[in-house]
Amino acid sequence: MSSVESISMRPKEFRSGKPPRSSHPGGLLVLLSMELRKLKGSSFWWMALGMIALVSAWSGLAFMKRAESVNPATRTVALAQGEIFQTVGLLAPILAALLTSRLAVMESSERMDLKWRSLGQSATGRFLAKLVVAGCVISLCFVIPLACIPLAASAQGFHLDGSLAVYILIPALIACFSSKAVTAIQLVLSLTIDRQAIGLGLGVIAGLIGTGLGPMNMPGLGWLFPAGISSAASPFLSSASPDGFASMTLVANPWPKVLTSLLVCFIWSGISAFIIKVKESGR
């Protein structure tokens, strides 16, 4: 067979200058495995561990401060956990901006984006793999203290209304979905904007707005952007006790909030993936 015939029989992707389509089975699992191998031995994991340790240490110190109180009105599991839950809206956008910025820098500095395209891996698939990795890290920053604080508070004799399993599960799920939605948007910003400081600045602004919706009695507006999901779906009801101290209780039926936060997480993740796909198509 002549070289001309060989060239004419090549796939259209080669003749048009486009990367070949991936022939690797597994789809997202393959990309996720490749992403984890790429991050092996990198500073990304040190940054992730630092974030988890920082939030956990702050949560532990805040709980120790509350455990010193002798007032029964302030020694409740809901109040101890609610303080930690309120940090999700503020810290998640900032931590996600830092972590996704690191992923974007590694992708461009090591020319990994060119390598993946040469292997036929789509930008959308690579985005989803990064979202799984970064989203899990940011979620763990809050899920770990939200799951540990009720256990520690119960062991310290804090008052508990209802099931301990519900107190652990509900806030942790909402924090997880909120963190993943925030990570999706911050990852898009990091991958599409060259100046990483812009994404960090937007993360700080989003965190301030998201945590301010509750005090302004407008938590419902939080459904409109990822950083506000934790405020809109907060499972805690705040009130003041007769002696003037703040008190918190878990809402009677928190599962609609959990399911709504899951739906909103899917929506924002889908919007983010669509933006990446459009950018890829425009190349």
Side-chain angles (χ1 to χ4, degrees), residues 27-38:
L28 182 60
L29 292 178
V30 173
L31 284 170
L32 184 58
S33 175
M34 295 170 66
E35 188 71 27
L36 292 175
R37 285 200 298 268
K38 183 191 73 175

Side-chain angles (χ1 to χ4, degrees), residues 153-173:
S154 180
Q156 291 287 331
F158 278 50
H159 179 68
L160 175 65
D161 290 323
S163 170
L164 180 61
V166 174
Y167 270 84
I168 294 175
L169 187 60
I170 297 298
L173 285 176

Side-chain angles (χ1 to χ4, degrees), residues 14 26 59 87 90 93 101 140 149 167 192 221 257 267 281:
F14 284 98
S59 302
T87 65
L90 175 63
S101 174
L140 285 175
I149 290 300
Y167 270 84
T192 57
L221 294 178
K257 292 179 177 290
I267 291 175
S281 301

